[in-house]
Amino acid sequence: MDTATPVPETAESRRPGTVTYRQAVLDDVPVVVPLVESAYRGDASRAGWTTEADLLDGQRTDPEGVAAVISAPGSVLLLVERDGETVACCQLEHRGETAYFGMFAVRPELQGAGLGKQIIAEAERRVRALWDAREMHMTVITAREELIAWYERRGYRRTGETSPFPYGDERFGLPRRDDLRFELLVKPLV
């Protein structure tokens, strides 16, 4: 099954401040792009702790990239809403017995209050339910030690397997240093 099952609305999910989840559609692209940008790039991102502003300038994503994630078979862009507003998102991608977790963004002013922990737990639950995924994979810039430590506290482990940053491809940003690499983190889901 390559699509998310809609979660029915309940009295609980209508309570003010309650977090709800839904699968993004193409009409959500104009909301998702600035959310992702605000969490990682520019001065606005410094209000949270997940900023990459000291490592990269330029964009983190663009409308075409978000639309591709939404449209790809075996891919779900999960939106997180509170009181009718999109406050976070993450990409879930089916890769055989594993799932990939990416494009994780929480509004900077909401970071550090436990929302990210809730979202990653829901993402893990969904990939097990949707695709019977046995392991979650993600890649993180190795220089992001604080972020990697946060994932390690959630059960992810560093593999030592790295891949190069796509230098020269402005779709991924403008590096401020020449030593950027991604490391694969994994977590068993069974």
Side-chain angles (χ1 to χ4, degrees):
M1 181 168 167
D2 283 342
T3 59
T5 303
V7 178
E9 189 174 349
T10 64
E12 173 69 17
S13 69
R14 288 188 299 268
R15 205 178 69 212
T18 300
V19 171
T20 58
Y21 301 88
R22 71 174 176 86
Q23 185 170 343
V25 296
L26 290 174
D27 286 346
D28 293 311
V29 170
V31 172
V32 174
V33 172
L35 169 65
V36 173
E37 294 299 309
S38 74
Y40 291 97
R41 302 289 163 80
D43 287 336
S45 71
R46 294 181 190 280
W49 69 274
T50 62
T51 184
E52 295 173 343
D54 293 330
L55 302 174
L56 296 150
D57 291 321
Q59 70 179 31
R60 178 72 167 8
T61 192
D62 56 28
E64 295 77 20
V66 172
V69 167
I70 291 170
S71 302
S75 177
V76 171
L77 183 60
L78 190 62
L79 296 186
V80 183
E81 297 177 332
R82 182 185 285 164
D83 300 328
E85 282 189 73
T86 301
V87 296
C89 68
C90 65
Q91 170 193 8
L92 306 173
E93 185 179 310
H94 186 207
R95 295 183 177 177
E97 289 192 0
T98 68
Y100 180 79
F101 179 82
M103 204 179 286
F104 187 27
V106 176
R107 278 191 188 170
E109 69 273 13
L110 300 177
Q111 293 175 15
L115 182 58
K117 201 176 352 180
Q118 277 183 291
I119 295 166
I120 200 164
E122 176 65 13
E124 292 165 0
R125 185 196 70 74
R126 284 185 183 239
V127 299
R128 283 191 309 266
L130 290 171
W131 304 313
D132 195 26
R134 306 284 184 202
E135 196 170 68
M136 186 80 92
H137 290 194
M138 69 175 71
T139 54
V140 180
I141 295 174
T142 57
R144 306 284 320 279
E145 291 293 335
E146 185 178 4
L147 182 58
I148 290 171
W150 186 87
Y151 285 121
E152 287 178 315
R153 291 191 299 275
R154 313 268 110 44
Y156 288 81
R157 69 172 174 77
R158 298 181 85 156
T159 64
E161 184 180 325
T162 63
S163 55
F165 185 86
Y167 285 93
D169 188 341
E170 292 184 12
R171 292 177 303 155
F172 298 96
L174 304 169
R176 299 180 74 169
R177 36 193 282 189
D178 63 4
D179 64 343
L180 299 180
R181 298 188 62 72
F182 293 105
E183 182 171 356
L184 176 66
L185 306 182
V186 299
K187 178 181 180 179
L189 298 178
V190 290

